[in-house]
């Protein structure tokens, strides 16, 4: 663990990009943990084949040892090296969605350290789309274990400054690859058993999975479901949470919202409303965030807005309920967990 503050390296010109790749690769080869950009959320990366380096990730995040970490690759060959079986369905999904925000859970290869899989028989593998992450993996030649770069159970970071604020005094290097383009964590699907299913909804939704595979996909468990928690401990219901209390409500109009706020004895000042269609205008509510009424733009903006609420000392965040439908499933899932 480093003392002092992390160095934050920019990547917005080709020479800066190349210099940051070289630095990150040197650190990773030396067994260090570095924060890197991906298109979903920022990741806390280490050499997946080095159990001591992966142990540092758990330590830095305060992550329970029973929660497995996903592995990031930048080629099909590297993905196959992490697995003991590679189902035809994995190739089908890989062809449709990789590189991209999809994690495939498959039987693990024996050379993946136990600590990565939390001792389990499977491993989660993702080929991320972000060019920086791809360049680093290719240059390293080994896969990278990387959970989201936040303290355990807190909000995932979607920009370098989110990482800096939460882990800046524990890391030596954060690479700034800009705002995450997807903004929510990857879809996790389990291909290890006879019935493929969604363990964590993401922006590659059930409709897209069905279109690519020709069958319909079920999502395993709700937030409170025990079997899902055992299968994928990161899906514990309290997760992805801002510090403030968060409530998800429907309201008809501003008067209706104000009635509900009064009934809930909402704090007068440290209250934030996050709305995408029924946006309160009159001066009664101190802080209103308008979030786009489109699932992809909403997903991209959500964590940034929640981080902003936390930074400004919000006590209560009231979020307008998202619409029904598979395109909104990942957003609805994260809001449900944040509200638990
Ligand atoms: O988009 C993402 O997936 C980001 C970026 C950095 O790639 N990573 C991420 O990692 O969200 P993490 O550790 O915060 O979430 C991974 C989720 C957890 O819920 C974990 O329990 C689950 O995937 N998981 C990992 N390996 C698994 C396995 N072998 N079987 C079942 N679930 C697994
Ligand atoms: Mg996480």
């Amino acid at each position: 663990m480093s003392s002092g503050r992390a160095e934050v390296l920019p990547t917005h010109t080709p020479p800066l990009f190349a210099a940051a790749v070289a630095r990150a690769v040197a650190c990773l080869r030396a067994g260090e943990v570095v924060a890197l950009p991906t298109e979903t959320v920022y990741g806390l990366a280490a050499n997946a084949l080095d159990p001591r380096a992966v142990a540092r990730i758990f330590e830095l995040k305060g992550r329970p040892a029973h929660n497995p970490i996903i592995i990031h690759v930048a080629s099909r060959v590297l993905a196959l090296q992490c697995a003991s079986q590679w189902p035809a369905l994995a190739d089908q999904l890989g062809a449709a969605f990789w590189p991209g925000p999809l994690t495939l859970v498959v039987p693990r290869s024996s050379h993946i350290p136990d600590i990565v899989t939390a001792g389990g028989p499977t491993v989660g593998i993702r080929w991320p789309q972000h060019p920086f992450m791809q360049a680093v993996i290719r240059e390293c030649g080994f896969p990278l274990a990387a959970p989201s770069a936040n303290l355990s159970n807190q909000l995932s970071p979607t920009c370098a400054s989110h990482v800096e604020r939460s882990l800046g005094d524990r890391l030596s290097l954060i690479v700034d690859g800009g705002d995450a383009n997807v903004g929510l964590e990857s879809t996790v699907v389990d291909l290890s058993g006879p019935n493929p299913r969604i363990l964590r909804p993401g922006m590659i939704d059930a409709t897209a999975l069905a279109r690519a595979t020709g069958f319909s996909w079920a999502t395993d468990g709700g937030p409170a479901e025990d079997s899902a928690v055992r299968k994928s401990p990161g899906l514990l219901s309290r997760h992805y949470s801002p510090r403030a209390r968060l409530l998800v409500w429907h309201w008809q109009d501003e008067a209706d919202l104000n009635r509900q706020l009064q009934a809930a004895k909402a704090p007068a000042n440290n209250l934030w409303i996050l709305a995408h269609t029924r946006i309160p205008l009159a001066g009664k509510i101190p802080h209103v965030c308008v979030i786009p009424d489109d699932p992809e733009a909403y997903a991209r903006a959500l964590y940034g807005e929640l981080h902003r609420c936390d930074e400004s000392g919000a006590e209560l965040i009231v979020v307008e309920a998202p619409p029904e439908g598979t395109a909104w499933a990942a957003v609805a899932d994260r809001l449900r967990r944040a509200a638990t």
Side-chain angles (χ1 to χ4, degrees):
M1 238 171 257
S2 77
S3 54
R5 300 293 299 178
E7 194 181 345
V8 182
L9 291 184
T11 58
H12 57 276
T13 69
L16 289 171
F17 186 99
V21 169
R23 251 311 280 297
V25 169
C27 291
L28 290 162
R29 288 207 174 115
E32 287 179 40
V33 175
V34 297
L36 303 180
T38 92
E39 76 279 21
T40 56
V41 300
Y42 275 64
L44 209 49
N47 178 354
L49 306 181
D50 177 350
R52 289 182 55 189
V54 177
R56 299 276 311 279
I57 297 179
F58 281 89
E59 210 180 296
L60 281 162
K61 279 190 63 114
R63 185 180 182 98
H66 65 260
N67 193 0
I69 295 185
I70 66 182
I71 285 186
H72 297 71
V73 300
S75 69
R76 181 176 178 276
V77 171
L78 199 52
L80 260 67
Q81 286 170 13
C82 301
S84 65
Q85 281 171 50
W86 194 252
L89 190 54
D91 269 334
Q92 216 176 338
L93 291 170
F97 301 114
W98 276 1
L102 180 68
T103 299
L104 307 178
V105 172
V106 294
R108 72 187 266 206
S109 145
S110 59
H111 79 276
I112 300 299
D114 276 341
I115 188 167
V116 171
T117 69
T122 62
V123 63
I125 304 175
R126 180 164 102 80
W127 179 345
Q129 198 267 323
H130 197 290
F132 189 86
M133 194 70 169
Q134 293 193 4
V136 168
I137 298 166
R138 257 185 249 119
E139 186 71 24
C140 283
F142 48 74
L144 297 181
S148 52
N150 50 274
L151 295 170
S152 204
N153 292 338
Q154 293 189 7
L155 273 182
S156 291
T158 54
C159 65
S161 58
H162 294 159
V163 183
E164 208 188 349
R165 269 189 292 262
S166 70
L167 292 167
D169 56 354
R170 303 187 186 196
L171 290 170
S172 55
L173 181 64
I174 298 168
V175 175
D176 184 347
D179 288 345
N181 194 41
V182 176
L184 292 185
E185 303 81 356
S186 62
T187 308
V188 181
V189 296
D190 185 4
L191 309 183
S192 67
N195 301 311
R197 58 205 200 284
I198 301 171
L199 296 179
R200 178 174 71 183
M203 294 311 286
I204 292 176
D205 64 11
T207 307
L209 293 170
R211 204 180 300 126
T213 60
F215 60 87
S216 70
W217 286 69
T219 300
D220 196 2
E225 223 219 58
D226 283 350
S227 74
V229 170
R230 272 198 303 275
K231 185 76 204 175
S232 199
L235 302 181
L236 284 165
S237 51
R238 182 166 171 82
H239 207 72
Y240 310 104
S241 304
R243 280 189 293 272
R245 196 152 84 93
L246 186 145
L247 299 169
V248 180
W249 287 354
H250 288 277
W251 56 84
Q252 290 308 315
D253 53 26
E254 185 155 353
D256 180 30
L257 172 61
N258 280 318
R259 268 193 302 276
Q260 294 187 51
L261 288 169
Q262 234 166 12
K265 298 193 166 57
N269 292 315
N270 296 333
L271 164 69
W272 290 72
I273 306 291
L274 238 84
H276 60 278
T277 58
R278 299 183 180 184
I279 298 150
L281 295 174
K284 273 196 177 170
I285 291 157
H287 309 286
V288 177
C289 307
V290 180
I291 191 157
D293 183 21
D294 159 272
E296 285 179 2
Y298 191 109
R300 196 176 298 131
L302 177 62
Y303 286 169
E305 294 296 349
L306 296 180
H307 277 284
R308 208 154 61 85
C309 292
D310 267 352
E311 280 147 31
S312 58
E315 249 174 83
L316 177 65
I317 307 169
V318 176
V319 183
E320 183 186 358
E324 302 286 318
T326 54
W328 289 89
V331 162
D333 171 80
R334 299 310 187 276
L335 287 175
R336 200 159 47 233
R337 292 173 201 287
T340 301

